[in-house]
């Protein structure tokens, strides 16, 4: 896709100065926003990542959330993390022209030159047995990244787009590339299901076919990153056979 793709029809956009977190703001706005809408904040005072980890949110980086009102079962809704990852990669490539520099790390990080440049946090609010609202929170290190000493031991070092490429991209310009990229993958997902997303994600997966370590809350498994299955679970090949892991922290 091109970085000049038009804003997707029917998708709202709200630009904010300061919020606690864009995901929290999106949920507060959900009753008043019946259609999809992007919320972009200049800064977050309480940004968070997976497992409630703090997410550094300085001005100049990208802090955004896409609010959706999906109709599918929760397990299907969760597969949109792959749509978001693919859209992020498309946006990066369209803005930099560097397709080989960006890879996808299971379950929901984007890597630039082997370091973490972006993360995705999906949160949902339910209605009965389903999902009433989905917030796809995205953080991108456009101009700054946390010090490597601040991340979990063994985690990949954070990097910024500016430091790695010399390109300075504003959050608004990044959103203008990301929103149409996500809309394209959302259309593919709703029309054709997860299969095309799975194939595309695997095409850009980091360390596919290589040794990795998957750490859940109760155990650590070492093996070969074989694939992801039709539910998005990681397939880890070990000496005694393959195992599907639905959720874990992955280390290289």
């Amino acid at each position: 896709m091109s970085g000049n793709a038009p804003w997707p029809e029917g998708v709202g956009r709200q630009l904010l100065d300061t919020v606690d977190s864009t995901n929290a703001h999106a949920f507060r706005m959900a009753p008043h926003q019946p259609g999809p809408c992007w919320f972009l904040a200049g800064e977050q005072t309480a940004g968070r990542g997976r497992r409630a980890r703090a997410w550094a949110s300085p001005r100049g980086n990208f802090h955004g959330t896409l609010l959706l009102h999906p109709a599918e079962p929760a397990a299907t809704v969760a597969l949109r993390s792959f749509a978001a990852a693919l859209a992020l990669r498309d946006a990066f490539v369209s803005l930099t022209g560097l397709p080989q520099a960006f890879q996808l790390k299971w379950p929901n990080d984007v890597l630039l030159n082997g370091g973490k440049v972006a993360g995705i946090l999906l949160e949902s609010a339910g209605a009965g047995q389903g999902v009433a609202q989905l917030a796809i929170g995205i953080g991108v290190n456009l101009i700054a990244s946390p010090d490597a000493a601040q991340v979990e031991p063994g985690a990949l070092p954070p990097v910024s787009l500016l430091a790695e490429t010399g390109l300075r991209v504003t959050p608004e310009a990044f959103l203008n590339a990301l929103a149409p990229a996500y809309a394209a993958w959302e259309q593919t997902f709703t029309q054709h299901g997860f299969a095309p997303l799975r194939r595309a994600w695997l095409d850009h997966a980091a360390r596919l076919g290589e040794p990795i370590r998957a750490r859940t809350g109760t155990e650590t498994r070492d093996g070969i990153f074989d694939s992801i299955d039709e539910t998005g679970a990681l397939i880890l090949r070990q000496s005694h056979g393959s195992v599907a892991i639905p959720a874990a922290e992955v280390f290289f």
Side-chain angles (χ1 to χ4, degrees):
M1 63 157 287
S2 165
N4 297 318
W7 186 264
E9 185 177 352
V11 178
R13 169 169 41 186
Q14 293 189 18
L15 305 182
L16 312 160
D17 184 62
T18 302
V19 296
D20 47 359
S21 88
T22 55
N23 271 16
H25 182 80
F27 282 128
R28 289 194 293 269
M29 296 301 297
H32 315 289
Q33 186 64 49
C37 184
W38 281 96
F39 299 90
L40 177 65
E43 66 175 351
Q44 296 182 119
T45 59
R48 61 183 185 276
R50 295 181 69 229
R51 301 180 186 271
R53 296 189 182 102
W55 182 275
S57 305
R59 288 190 181 276
N61 280 358
F62 179 94
H63 327 294
T65 290
L66 174 60
L67 173 67
L68 297 174
H69 300 271
E72 306 96 337
T76 303
V77 170
L79 294 173
R80 284 184 169 83
S81 66
F82 294 91
L86 288 164
L88 269 168
R89 185 183 179 280
D90 284 350
F92 278 123
V93 172
S94 71
L95 291 165
T96 66
L98 300 170
Q100 302 305 319
F102 298 93
Q103 289 186 300
L104 305 178
K105 177 177 178 285
W106 189 90
N108 49 14
D109 291 335
V110 180
L111 308 183
L112 167 57
N113 296 336
K116 179 174 176 176
V117 70
I120 302 163
L121 175 65
L122 263 66
E123 296 182 303
S124 62
Q129 300 298 314
V131 172
Q133 296 110 26
L134 175 68
I136 304 176
I138 294 174
V140 180
N141 299 328
L142 290 176
I143 66 167
S145 59
D147 188 273
Q150 295 179 280
V151 302
E152 182 180 358
L156 293 176
V159 298
S160 74
L161 184 68
L162 177 61
E164 292 295 313
T165 68
L167 298 174
R168 186 179 290 273
V169 176
T170 67
E172 292 82 2
F174 194 83
L175 179 60
N176 286 338
L178 178 60
Y182 182 84
W185 283 111
E186 172 73 17
Q187 183 177 31
T188 299
F189 181 56
T190 55
Q191 291 185 351
H192 304 289
F194 182 54
L197 277 68
R198 175 179 176 272
R199 289 193 296 270
W201 192 94
L202 287 169
D203 284 343
H204 304 297
R207 304 299 178 96
L208 187 65
E210 298 182 23
I212 63 170
R213 173 168 294 170
R215 184 183 301 164
T216 69
T218 57
E219 62 182 334
T220 298
R221 298 173 182 266
D222 292 301
I224 303 298
F225 178 18
D226 207 24
S227 186
I228 58 174
D229 68 12
E230 68 278 1
T231 71
L234 171 77
I235 303 300
L236 190 69
R237 177 160 38 94
Q238 299 182 285
S239 58
H240 58 276
S242 294
V243 59
I245 301 175
E249 293 289 320
V250 167
F251 299 88
F252 298 155

Short mmCIF file of all heavy atoms in Angstrom, two decimals, residues 129-156:
data_model
loop_
_atom_site.label_atom_id
_atom_site.label_comp_id
_atom_site.label_asym_id
_atom_site.label_seq_id
_atom_site.Cartn_x
_atom_site.Cartn_y
_atom_site.Cartn_z
N GLN A 129 -22.15 -13.15 26.46
CA GLN A 129 -21.07 -14.06 26.13
C GLN A 129 -20.16 -13.50 25.04
O GLN A 129 -19.17 -14.13 24.69
CB GLN A 129 -21.65 -15.40 25.66
CG GLN A 129 -22.50 -16.11 26.70
CD GLN A 129 -21.71 -16.48 27.94
OE1 GLN A 129 -20.60 -16.99 27.86
NE2 GLN A 129 -22.26 -16.18 29.12
N GLY A 130 -20.48 -12.33 24.51
CA GLY A 130 -19.71 -11.81 23.40
C GLY A 130 -18.85 -10.63 23.78
O GLY A 130 -18.55 -10.39 24.94
N VAL A 131 -18.44 -9.89 22.75
CA VAL A 131 -17.60 -8.71 22.93
C VAL A 131 -18.37 -7.52 22.39
O VAL A 131 -18.77 -7.51 21.22
CB VAL A 131 -16.27 -8.87 22.17
CG1 VAL A 131 -15.48 -7.57 22.19
CG2 VAL A 131 -15.45 -10.01 22.78
N ALA A 132 -18.61 -6.52 23.23
CA ALA A 132 -19.34 -5.34 22.79
C ALA A 132 -18.42 -4.31 22.17
O ALA A 132 -18.76 -3.67 21.18
CB ALA A 132 -20.11 -4.73 23.96
N GLN A 133 -17.25 -4.13 22.79
CA GLN A 133 -16.28 -3.16 22.26
C GLN A 133 -14.88 -3.77 22.31
O GLN A 133 -14.53 -4.47 23.25
CB GLN A 133 -16.28 -1.87 23.08
CG GLN A 133 -17.58 -1.10 23.05
CD GLN A 133 -18.30 -1.15 24.37
OE1 GLN A 133 -17.70 -1.34 25.41
NE2 GLN A 133 -19.62 -1.00 24.33
N LEU A 134 -14.12 -3.46 21.29
CA LEU A 134 -12.73 -3.89 21.22
C LEU A 134 -11.86 -2.65 21.06
O LEU A 134 -12.10 -1.82 20.18
CB LEU A 134 -12.50 -4.82 20.04
CG LEU A 134 -11.03 -5.24 19.79
CD1 LEU A 134 -10.53 -6.13 20.91
CD2 LEU A 134 -10.89 -5.93 18.44
N ALA A 135 -10.85 -2.53 21.91
CA ALA A 135 -9.88 -1.44 21.80
C ALA A 135 -8.54 -2.05 21.38
O ALA A 135 -7.98 -2.87 22.09
CB ALA A 135 -9.74 -0.71 23.13
N ILE A 136 -8.08 -1.64 20.20
CA ILE A 136 -6.77 -2.09 19.71
C ILE A 136 -5.79 -0.96 19.97
O ILE A 136 -5.70 0.00 19.21
CB ILE A 136 -6.83 -2.44 18.22
CG1 ILE A 136 -7.91 -3.48 17.94
CG2 ILE A 136 -5.46 -2.95 17.74
CD1 ILE A 136 -8.09 -3.82 16.47
N GLY A 137 -5.08 -1.08 21.07
CA GLY A 137 -4.11 -0.06 21.44
C GLY A 137 -2.76 -0.32 20.78
O GLY A 137 -2.28 -1.46 20.75
N ILE A 138 -2.16 0.74 20.26
CA ILE A 138 -0.88 0.60 19.54
C ILE A 138 0.09 1.68 20.01
O ILE A 138 -0.26 2.86 20.06
CB ILE A 138 -1.10 0.73 18.01
CG1 ILE A 138 -1.93 -0.47 17.51
CG2 ILE A 138 0.24 0.82 17.27
CD1 ILE A 138 -2.32 -0.37 16.06
N GLY A 139 1.27 1.25 20.37
CA GLY A 139 2.33 2.18 20.72
C GLY A 139 3.51 1.99 19.78
O GLY A 139 3.92 0.86 19.51
N VAL A 140 4.02 3.10 19.26
CA VAL A 140 5.13 3.05 18.32
C VAL A 140 6.23 4.01 18.79
O VAL A 140 5.96 5.19 19.05
CB VAL A 140 4.69 3.44 16.89
CG1 VAL A 140 5.88 3.37 15.93
CG2 VAL A 140 3.56 2.55 16.41
N ASN A 141 7.43 3.51 18.86
CA ASN A 141 8.58 4.35 19.21
C ASN A 141 9.04 5.09 17.95
O ASN A 141 9.94 4.64 17.25
CB ASN A 141 9.72 3.49 19.76
CG ASN A 141 9.34 2.74 21.01
OD1 ASN A 141 8.52 3.21 21.81
ND2 ASN A 141 9.93 1.57 21.20
N LEU A 142 8.41 6.22 17.69
CA LEU A 142 8.77 6.97 16.49
C LEU A 142 10.08 7.72 16.66
O LEU A 142 10.93 7.73 15.77
CB LEU A 142 7.65 7.95 16.13
CG LEU A 142 6.34 7.35 15.62
CD1 LEU A 142 5.32 8.45 15.39
CD2 LEU A 142 6.57 6.57 14.32
N ILE A 143 10.23 8.40 17.80
CA ILE A 143 11.43 9.23 17.98
C ILE A 143 12.25 8.84 19.20
O ILE A 143 13.38 9.31 19.36
CB ILE A 143 11.08 10.73 18.07
CG1 ILE A 143 10.26 11.02 19.34
CG2 ILE A 143 10.34 11.19 16.83
CD1 ILE A 143 10.15 12.50 19.64
N ALA A 144 11.66 8.05 20.11
CA ALA A 144 12.38 7.71 21.35
C ALA A 144 11.99 6.31 21.78
O ALA A 144 10.88 5.84 21.51
CB ALA A 144 12.06 8.71 22.45
N SER A 145 12.90 5.65 22.47
CA SER A 145 12.63 4.31 23.00
C SER A 145 13.16 4.23 24.43
O SER A 145 14.11 4.93 24.78
CB SER A 145 13.27 3.23 22.13
OG SER A 145 14.68 3.42 22.07
N PRO A 146 12.57 3.36 25.25
CA PRO A 146 13.07 3.20 26.62
C PRO A 146 14.50 2.67 26.62
O PRO A 146 14.94 2.01 25.66
CB PRO A 146 12.10 2.18 27.23
CG PRO A 146 10.90 2.18 26.34
CD PRO A 146 11.40 2.52 24.97
N ASP A 147 15.19 2.94 27.69
CA ASP A 147 16.54 2.38 27.85
C ASP A 147 16.44 0.86 27.97
O ASP A 147 15.52 0.33 28.60
CB ASP A 147 17.20 2.96 29.10
CG ASP A 147 18.66 2.58 29.19
OD1 ASP A 147 18.96 1.49 29.74
OD2 ASP A 147 19.50 3.35 28.70
N ALA A 148 17.39 0.15 27.37
CA ALA A 148 17.36 -1.31 27.40
C ALA A 148 17.38 -1.85 28.82
O ALA A 148 16.85 -2.94 29.09
CB ALA A 148 18.54 -1.87 26.61
N ALA A 149 17.95 -1.08 29.75
CA ALA A 149 18.01 -1.53 31.14
C ALA A 149 16.63 -1.55 31.80
O ALA A 149 16.46 -2.17 32.86
CB ALA A 149 18.95 -0.63 31.94
N GLN A 150 15.65 -0.89 31.18
CA GLN A 150 14.31 -0.81 31.76
C GLN A 150 13.42 -1.98 31.37
O GLN A 150 12.33 -2.12 31.93
CB GLN A 150 13.64 0.50 31.34
CG GLN A 150 14.33 1.75 31.87
CD GLN A 150 13.62 3.01 31.39
OE1 GLN A 150 13.77 3.48 30.27
NE2 GLN A 150 12.81 3.57 32.27
N VAL A 151 13.83 -2.79 30.42
CA VAL A 151 12.97 -3.88 29.97
C VAL A 151 13.34 -5.16 30.71
O VAL A 151 14.40 -5.27 31.34
CB VAL A 151 13.08 -4.10 28.44
CG1 VAL A 151 12.72 -2.82 27.71
CG2 VAL A 151 14.47 -4.57 28.04
N GLU A 152 12.44 -6.14 30.62
CA GLU A 152 12.63 -7.41 31.30
C GLU A 152 13.90 -8.11 30.81
O GLU A 152 14.19 -8.09 29.61
CB GLU A 152 11.41 -8.30 31.02
CG GLU A 152 11.43 -9.65 31.69
CD GLU A 152 10.18 -10.45 31.35
OE1 GLU A 152 9.32 -9.92 30.63
OE2 GLU A 152 10.09 -11.59 31.79
N PRO A 153 14.65 -8.72 31.72
CA PRO A 153 15.85 -9.45 31.29
C PRO A 153 15.51 -10.48 30.21
O PRO A 153 14.56 -11.24 30.34
CB PRO A 153 16.33 -10.13 32.57
CG PRO A 153 15.81 -9.26 33.67
CD PRO A 153 14.48 -8.74 33.18
N GLY A 154 16.29 -10.48 29.16
CA GLY A 154 16.04 -11.42 28.06
C GLY A 154 15.15 -10.88 26.97
O GLY A 154 15.06 -11.46 25.89
N ALA A 155 14.45 -9.77 27.25
CA ALA A 155 13.57 -9.18 26.24
C ALA A 155 14.41 -8.48 25.17
O ALA A 155 15.55 -8.07 25.41
CB ALA A 155 12.61 -8.19 26.88
N LEU A 156 13.83 -8.33 24.00
CA LEU A 156 14.53 -7.65 22.92
C LEU A 156 14.71 -6.18 23.25
O LEU A 156 13.86 -5.57 23.90
CB LEU A 156 13.74 -7.79 21.62
CG LEU A 156 13.65 -9.21 21.05
CD1 LEU A 156 12.75 -9.21 19.81
CD2 LEU A 156 15.03 -9.73 20.69
#
